[in-house]
Amino acid sequence: MNISQIRTITVFVSDQDKAKDFYVDVLGFAVRTDLQAGDNRWLEVAPAESGTAIVLHRPFPGASAGSSSGVILSTADLDADVAAIRAAGGSVDGPEDLPWGRQATVKDPDGNAFVLSTASQAVSGK
């Protein structure tokens, strides 16, 4: 196999401009690509140091905005990030201490859920 990385993850959103504002202004992501091709817009955002980007896309036929969950975002300072997200108007559940580390959940305006996590030493192997 020659697969070397996950390049993008697609998250379906109902309003790409509103989603862009959330991911840039609340989560602090950078816009990597914002291209319009006819009725289609390819909008990629990512944390500054990440190799993987999130594509904020209108739902494909049969899909719906707000249906994504399970993506885990790593942070070195969960409490500071939770405070910053709340100060920017974002909603966060947690943080909470779990056997594998501390985590909190943040949702974008469509309800797509992301877990903010700091892994415990037992899980991360450090």
Side-chain angles (χ1 to χ4, degrees), residues 11-15 18-19 22-23 64-70 91 93 105-115:
V11 173
F12 296 124
V13 298
S14 60
D15 181 326
K18 186 175 180 179
F22 174 81
Y23 286 85
S64 60
S67 59
S68 294
S69 66
S91 176
D93 292 331
T105 302
V106 61
K107 290 185 179 179
D108 74 6
D110 284 298
N112 293 302
F114 295 86
V115 174

Side-chain angles (χ1 to χ4, degrees), residues 10 14 20 31 36 40 43 48 51 53 63 70 74 84 86-87 91 100 104 111 113 122:
T10 300
S14 60
K20 177 181 170 183
V31 175
Q36 190 75 38
N40 191 29
L43 175 58
S74 293
R86 286 182 175 143
S91 176
W100 52 87

Side-chain angles (χ1 to χ4, degrees), residues 30-98:
V31 175
R32 284 208 183 148
T33 307
D34 192 349
L35 298 173
Q36 190 75 38
D39 291 338
N40 191 29
R41 181 180 180 193
W42 187 263
L43 175 58
E44 285 185 20
V45 296
E49 299 177 17
S50 178
T52 303
I54 295 173
V55 177
L56 304 174
H57 204 283
R58 290 186 321 220
F60 301 139
S64 60
S67 59
S68 294
S69 66
V71 174
I72 299 173
L73 306 173
S74 293
T75 176
D77 192 338
L78 181 64
D79 294 316
D81 286 345
V82 166
I85 290 167
R86 286 182 175 143
S91 176
V92 181
D93 292 331
E96 62 181 312
D97 294 312
L98 299 165

